[in-house]
Amino acid sequence: MKNLFLNKKGNSVITMPLLIAFSTIALVTLFTFLVNMLKPYIMYEKLLSTSLRYMFIIEEYGYLNENDKDNLIKDLKNQGFNTNNIEISATQTKKEYGEAVELSITYWYDLTLSVFKEKSLNTKTKNELVPMRVIKYGISKI
């Protein structure tokens, strides 16, 4: 019995690299999963903050002109949004003081989901376009 539990030289030379390799693979997989899980929330927060900034412009001038709309699209592009997937709806005519103005930005986010195949451990990815919509209402201050 004592021979089973004796420290055999050379076991750590084999097991330590394997342990490090498996741990590294597990950490990289976990990190990738967490980044992919949090990315839609980060994109939504960017969309929300940009919509607030441009809602102040709409409230100040009473509408969203074409120049400001182009700047909005450029800002979203600089933040990592695909401009082909953006829909913007805003007050187009000048509103007087106290009238309602609105801004709606819809971004069709390409969501990538990892799904398991039936009866196996192999995974595949499933892409789906999911709308991220921010609607802001305000009052014209001009």
Side-chain angles (χ1 to χ4, degrees):
M1 253 342 211
K2 284 185 176 181
N3 291 338
L4 291 175
F5 297 108
L6 289 178
N7 188 8
K8 295 182 180 179
K9 295 180 181 178
N11 285 347
S12 63
V13 173
I14 296 171
T15 58
M16 193 55 105
L18 289 174
L19 183 63
I20 290 172
F22 288 134
S23 298
T24 303
I25 291 170
L27 287 175
V28 168
T29 304
L30 181 64
F31 180 73
T32 304
F33 174 75
L34 288 176
V35 166
N36 286 334
M37 188 175 74
L38 292 176
K39 191 173 178 184
Y41 297 106
I42 294 168
M43 296 293 278
Y44 181 77
E45 286 300 319
K46 288 180 182 180
L47 192 66
L48 185 63
S49 66
T50 304
S51 70
L52 283 173
R53 196 166 2 127
Y54 280 88
M55 190 62 201
F56 289 134
I57 293 172
I58 293 173
E59 288 177 345
E60 183 179 341
Y61 295 109
Y63 70 108
L64 184 69
N65 61 30
E66 287 300 317
N67 188 29
D68 290 332
K69 188 174 182 178
D70 292 340
N71 289 337
L72 171 58
I73 292 171
K74 285 178 189 173
D75 283 350
L76 290 173
K77 183 178 181 181
N78 291 338
Q79 293 179 19
F81 290 92
N82 182 357
T83 56
N84 297 329
N85 296 347
I86 297 173
E87 297 172 5
I88 299 173
S89 171
T91 304
Q92 298 294 322
T93 59
K94 189 173 184 177
K95 299 292 183 177
E96 296 299 321
Y97 180 81
E99 291 183 314
V101 292
E102 81 173 82
L103 172 64
S104 173
I105 304 173
T106 304
Y107 179 68
W108 292 91
Y109 181 72
D110 189 13
L111 183 64
T112 303
L113 301 172
S114 294
V115 292
F116 289 100
K117 293 180 182 178
E118 292 181 19
K119 298 181 181 178
S120 71
L121 294 177
N122 296 332
T123 60
K124 65 177 183 175
T125 57
K126 175 182 169 187
N127 290 356
E128 202 175 301
L129 286 177
V130 178
M132 284 185 189
R133 187 170 292 122
V134 175
I135 302 174
K136 294 290 177 193
Y137 297 99
I139 296 174
S140 177
K141 295 180 175 66
I142 189 167

